Amino acid sequence: MKPDPQQFASDNYAGICPEAWAATEAANGGSVPAYGEDAWTKRASDAFRDLFDKPDAEVFFAFNGTAANSLALASLCQSYHSVICSASAHVETDECGAPEFFSNGSKLLVAASADGKLTPALIRGLATGRSDIHFPKPRVVTITQPTETGQLYTLREIAEISATCRDLSLRLHMDGARFANACASLGCEPAEMTWKVGVDLLCFGGTKNGMAAGEAILFFDPALAEDFGYRCKQAGQLASKMRFLTAPWVGMLEGGAWLRNAAHANACAQRLAGAVAECPGFATMFPVEANAVFLTASPERLDALRDRGWRFYTFIGGGARFMFAWDSEPERIDALIQDIRAASADVRDRLPVSG
C-alpha cells in the first residue's frame, strides 16, 4: 500500500523508529516470563536509572500518556485533594476526566496562563486562596515540559516552582510527553531537569519520540511508589507480554536514539519557523522552543492550505499547529513552506484594494 504524503498535524502520525523496531524484533524470540518478570523489562528499568543517574528510582510502564499521568497523579492524591495545573494542560483539556476518575474525584484547579506555563505566583494563589474544609485540599502541582504551546520551562523556572511546592507542602509532577524534546532543546541532562531541581515524579513519553506505544513513569522518591504496581494492574496497564512494551525503550535509551530523534524534530520546527517569518499573512503565535509550531493566519489563508492537502489542528487561540517527529522529511517541510507562501500570495491577490 502506497503511503499518503507526510503530514505534520501530530507527532503521533510518525511510524516506529528503527531502533525501537529492532529492539522489538529482538525481543520476539523465545519463551519469556510474563507480566514484567522478563530480562527486557529489567534492562529498560536499569537504562532509565542510568540515564537519570538515580539508582533507587522506581520505574513503571503504561500504554499511553493519559494512563501514565492519571495514575501518577492518583498515586499522590486522596479523593479530597486537588491538583494545580495550567488551564491548557493536557490533564485538564485532553484526558476525558481520567485524572479525576482514577483518583476517585481529586479536583483539578486550573490557572489561566497565556503561554501555558505555571509560575510560583499562580501556584501560590491557587494553593492559598482557601484553606477551609469545604474546599479540596491542594496536594500536587503538575507542569508539562514542553508545554502545550510548545514552550519550555527553564531549569531555573522549574527550581523556583519546586521551591514553592516545598514551601506549601505540595508534590511536583512533570508531564513529559515530549520530555526528550525539552532535553534536546535545553541541552541538559535528564537529572538536571527533574529530581535535581525537585521534581518528584515524571511521565516520560515514548510514543511521540519514536515508539509505537508506551510511556515510562519514574518515581524519584521510592517511598512514593508504594503499591503503584497494583494501581497499574487495576487500571489495565500491566501488559501480559510486557517485553513488547519495554524492549523498545532499550533500543531508544541505550544508543541515544531518544535524544537524536528529539533533536531532529526540534530542528524541523525551526526550519518551518524560520521560513514563515518571511511569509506575509502568517506568523508564529508562540516562541518555537521544541518540536511544535503554532501559526496564526486569516481563515482564508488556512483554508487555502487545507485546499492544498495539508492537515493540521486549530486550537489554543485558533492557531494552526504543526508538529514534527523523528521521521519528518526536510523536503516535505519545504513543500509545506512553498504552499504557505503560495497561500499567502493567492489570498493577498484576491483581497479587495481599499481606497
Side-chain angles (χ1 to χ4, degrees):
M1 181 181 296
K2 183 179 179 180
D4 293 333
Q6 189 175 66
Q7 297 282 350
F8 305 115
S10 172
D11 37 7
N12 288 324
Y13 282 29
I16 304 170
C17 72
E19 294 84 355
W21 185 269
T24 303
E25 185 176 26
N28 195 36
S31 176
V32 174
Y35 300 109
E37 298 297 323
D38 61 279
W40 288 99
T41 298
K42 181 181 185 304
R43 188 170 160 188
S45 298
D46 287 342
F48 272 112
R49 296 183 183 106
D50 290 344
L51 182 66
F52 282 84
D53 192 24
K54 200 77 169 69
D56 62 343
E58 291 286 349
V59 186
F60 299 86
F61 300 93
F63 290 103
N64 57 42
T66 293
N69 284 331
S70 301
L71 295 176
L73 292 174
S75 73
L76 301 175
C77 293
Q78 297 292 335
S79 58
Y80 51 82
H81 284 142
S82 57
V83 177
I84 294 172
C85 66
S86 165
S88 61
H90 201 270
V91 294
E92 164 67 6
T93 64
D94 288 285
E95 292 183 353
C96 197
E100 296 93 332
F101 176 82
F102 283 105
S103 64
N104 291 316
S106 295
K107 184 178 178 61
L108 297 181
L109 301 180
V110 300
S113 171
D115 58 5
K117 294 167 73 171
L118 290 178
T119 65
L122 288 172
I123 292 167
R124 190 173 294 276
L126 284 173
T128 62
R130 284 181 62 175
S131 59
D132 58 276
I133 202 168
H134 302 285
F135 194 74
K137 184 179 181 180
R139 175 63 175 164
V140 183
V141 171
T142 178
I143 59 175
T144 310
Q145 177 75 331
T147 70
E148 284 71 20
T149 61
Q151 296 178 82
L152 295 171
Y153 289 93
T154 65
L155 300 186
R156 180 176 179 177
E157 287 173 327
I158 298 172
E160 290 172 348
I161 287 172
S162 173
T164 301
C165 289
R166 289 195 298 272
D167 185 48
L168 297 171
S169 299
L170 303 172
R171 293 293 185 179
L172 180 56
H173 164 264
M174 179 178 284
D175 175 353
R178 299 179 177 92
F179 180 80
N181 300 93
C183 286
S185 184
L186 292 176
C188 65
E189 294 297 323
E192 295 178 279
M193 197 160 59
T194 53
W195 65 269
K196 287 188 176 180
V197 286
V199 174
D200 295 300
L201 184 53
L202 167 70
C203 294
F204 190 136
T207 307
K208 294 174 174 60
N209 192 223
M211 290 168 49
E215 317 292 301
I217 306 158
L218 283 76
F219 289 84
F220 299 113
D221 178 354
L224 296 177
E226 183 178 0
D227 290 341
F228 192 76
Y230 288 91
R231 193 178 293 276
C232 290
K233 171 61 179 178
Q234 187 181 62
Q237 294 298 310
L238 177 62
S240 53
K241 296 185 179 182
M242 182 66 83
R243 57 176 157 158
F244 297 111
L245 199 61
T246 56
W249 280 115
V250 174
M252 297 287 286
L253 298 179
E254 289 187 350
W258 70 279
L259 193 60
R260 291 193 301 273
N261 289 351
H264 173 76
N266 291 356
C268 289
Q270 291 294 336
R271 188 186 190 102
L272 176 62
V276 166
E278 302 172 359
C279 296
F282 286 85
T284 54
M285 294 180 64
F286 308 105
V288 178
E289 298 177 351
N291 65 322
V293 179
F294 286 82
L295 297 182
T296 180
S298 66
E300 292 82 8
R301 287 188 169 93
L302 296 182
D303 285 343
L305 274 186
R306 294 188 182 95
D307 290 343
R308 286 171 168 79
W310 292 101
R311 299 187 64 176
F312 50 87
Y313 296 110
T314 52
F315 62 110
I316 304 185
R321 189 193 74 167
F322 295 91
M323 301 294 304
F324 300 93
W326 71 271
D327 65 345
S328 295
E329 302 165 359
E331 299 80 8
R332 186 65 176 156
I333 298 169
D334 290 343
L336 172 59
I337 293 168
Q338 183 178 350
D339 282 347
I340 288 174
R341 289 171 177 160
S344 178
D346 288 350
V347 171
R348 187 173 64 247
D349 291 341
R350 294 200 302 267
L351 293 177
V353 178
S354 61

